[in-house]
């Protein structure tokens, strides 16, 4: 049973929920709150999508970044990075399908680019084209065989301008995460472990580790391996010097029993709320899980595809 947080744990998490996290979370179109303007398409459960609820100032900044990327592409259409940054800048604005088109255009010139495949895969997943995303991640990992891994540049720099993930670790991570959508929990677990085991992934802040632990716990639990699920959370503690993944830390500490349910209710973010919903799901409380997951989906501009996929599984079991 979850226990109440100690004063020290609470203080750490309150700090983690402060300006540094907000600086990053507010810029993530995939987690942004719903805006007033609807856009084409819908979630897996039929709810509408909207433009991200960005402030006018932030939207202007993101649009300027996109304009710069497009100008760079016009000047240097022979460079792989030109297509990468146009696609990424479109993605930051929530224009995931347009981003896929930009990466596809780049792949026509650079068909063996594991970098373009990595980013197209991410935006295919966000467009709910899960099988195509997994295919891109798998081919990118094949292309990286024998290639020296490197840190992936952040499009939205964190507070310390410190890249956290490598190309290979991110390919493992996102292929694993996307495997959750198609119900392949074995690949979810194996891929998260592969990401954690990448030798270049030093993870000095613990940011990658807490996200991986969160998904490992879910994957092992869905496979019925409670011991492995608990073991995945063992390295997680409240004093990790995180830069940007405080939401995953809270989720992992909730799963670990170090944050009580009533404490978690205070955090409206999709990651925290999904942890609460998955706890209900794992306890057999499917109606409660579905209701919370649907609320998560409706609150986000882009929905929340892990919750959407799990809702469909719940409904299929009835």
């Amino acid at each position: 049973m979850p226990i109440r947080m100690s004063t020290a744990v609470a203080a750490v998490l309150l700090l983690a929920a402060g300006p540094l996290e907000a600086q990053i979370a507010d810029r993530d179109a995939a987690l942004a709150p719903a805006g007033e303007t609807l856009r084409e398409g819908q979630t897996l459960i039929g709810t509408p999508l909207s433009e991200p609820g960005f402030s006018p100032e932030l939207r202007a900044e993101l649009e300027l970044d996109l304009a710069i990327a497009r100008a760079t592409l016009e000047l240097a259409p022979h460079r792989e990075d030109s297509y990468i940054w146009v696609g990424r800048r479109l993605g930051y604005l929530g224009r995931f399908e347009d981003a896929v088109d930009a990466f596809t255009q780049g792949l026509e010139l650079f068909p063996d680019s594991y970098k373009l495949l990595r980013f197209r895969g991410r935006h295919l997943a966000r467009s709910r084209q899960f099988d195509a995303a997994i295919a891109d991640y798998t081919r990118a990992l094949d292309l990286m065989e024998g290639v020296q891994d490197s840190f992936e540049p952040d499009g939205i720099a964190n507070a310390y301008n410190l890249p956290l993930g490598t190309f290979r670790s991110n390919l493992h991570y996102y292929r694993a995460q996307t495997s959750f959508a198609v119900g392949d929990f074995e690949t979810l677990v194996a891929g998260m472990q592969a990401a954690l085991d990448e030798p270049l992934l030093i993870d000095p802040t613990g940011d990658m580790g807490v996200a991986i632990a969160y998904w490992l716990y879910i994957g092992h639990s869905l496979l019925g391996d409670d011991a492995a699920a608990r073991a995945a959370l063992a390295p997680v503690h409240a004093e990790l010097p995180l830069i940007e993944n405080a939401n995953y830390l809270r989720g992992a500490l909730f799963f670990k029993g170090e944050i009580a349910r009533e404490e978690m209710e205070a955090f409206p973010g999709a990651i925290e709320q999904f942890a609460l919903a998955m706890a209900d799901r794992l306890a057999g409380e499917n109606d409660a899980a579905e209701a919370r997951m649907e609320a998560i989906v409706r609150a986000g501009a882009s929905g929340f595809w892990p919750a959407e996929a799990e809702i469909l599984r719940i409904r299929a079991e009835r």
Side-chain angles (χ1 to χ4, degrees):
M1 293 293 294
I3 60 175
R4 292 191 65 82
M5 287 188 290
S6 69
T7 302
V9 172
V12 168
L13 291 181
L14 284 172
L15 177 61
L20 297 189
E21 184 191 10
Q23 173 184 321
I24 295 161
D26 290 351
R27 291 168 171 259
D28 189 342
L31 297 176
E36 296 180 358
T37 305
L38 295 182
R39 59 186 173 92
E40 185 178 351
Q42 61 183 22
T43 68
L44 296 176
I45 61 170
T47 57
L49 304 174
S50 72
E51 295 294 331
F54 293 142
S55 69
E57 295 79 12
L58 177 55
R59 180 169 293 279
E61 181 182 339
L62 295 174
E63 292 282 6
L64 176 59
D65 287 341
L66 174 58
I68 293 170
R70 281 179 162 157
T72 302
L73 174 59
E74 186 174 347
L75 289 169
H78 57 286
R79 292 180 54 187
E80 176 189 38
D81 273 358
S82 298
Y83 299 91
I84 289 173
W85 284 109
V86 168
R88 294 184 74 180
R89 296 303 183 193
L90 285 164
Y92 295 138
L93 284 160
R95 296 168 58 180
F96 304 134
E97 293 81 5
D98 291 340
V100 168
D101 290 343
F103 297 127
T104 300
Q105 184 182 4
L107 282 161
E108 291 172 0
L109 291 176
F110 305 97
D112 293 331
S113 169
Y114 65 83
K115 296 178 182 179
L116 282 162
L117 286 165
R118 175 265 187 267
F119 292 115
R120 189 175 70 171
R122 181 67 170 142
H123 291 78
L124 284 166
R126 288 175 161 176
S127 303
R128 295 161 181 81
Q129 300 179 64
F130 302 122
D131 290 332
I134 290 168
D136 271 6
Y137 292 139
T138 300
R139 182 157 184 266
L141 283 166
D142 289 343
L143 287 167
M144 283 201 77
E145 282 293 324
V147 175
Q148 175 62 50
D149 199 6
S150 60
F151 282 92
E152 192 176 285
D154 288 327
I156 299 174
N158 56 48
Y160 301 109
N161 197 24
L162 178 67
L164 299 175
T166 71
F167 279 100
R168 189 176 282 112
S169 67
N170 280 338
L171 282 165
H172 283 303
Y173 178 90
Y174 287 119
R175 182 173 67 170
Q177 187 188 60
T178 308
S179 296
F180 173 85
V182 299
D184 184 356
F185 306 132
E186 290 85 0
T187 298
L188 166 60
V189 166
M192 288 293 168
Q193 191 61 52
L196 194 61
D197 292 342
E198 278 299 324
L200 193 58
L201 186 66
I202 303 170
D203 197 25
T205 66
D207 281 275
M208 288 292 292
V210 295
I212 290 169
Y214 178 101
W215 286 105
L216 277 174
Y217 178 85
I218 290 173
H220 283 305
S221 297
L222 288 169
L223 291 170
D225 193 340
D226 294 339
R230 289 192 299 272
L233 298 175
V236 177
H237 59 86
E239 290 75 23
L240 289 168
L242 301 185
I243 297 175
E244 60 187 41
N245 277 345
N247 51 0
Y248 276 112
L249 175 61
R250 287 189 285 269
L253 289 175
F254 169 71
F255 287 142
K256 197 174 182 181
E258 295 185 10
I259 300 180
R261 175 175 281 268
E262 56 266 31
E263 301 284 354
M264 280 291 282
E265 294 283 2
F267 297 102
I271 300 301
E272 294 96 334
Q273 290 295 307
F274 190 64
L276 287 163
M278 284 305 301
D280 289 335
R281 172 73 159 140
L282 293 167
E285 300 290 339
N286 285 346
D287 289 345
E290 181 181 355
R292 189 180 294 273
M293 289 179 189
E294 184 169 340
I296 296 169
V297 174
R298 291 184 179 277
S302 301
F304 187 65
W305 62 254
E308 297 163 34
E310 197 60 30
I311 288 171
L312 293 185
R313 283 192 279 270
I314 291 171
R315 292 177 179 175
E317 292 172 6
R318 293 193 176 120

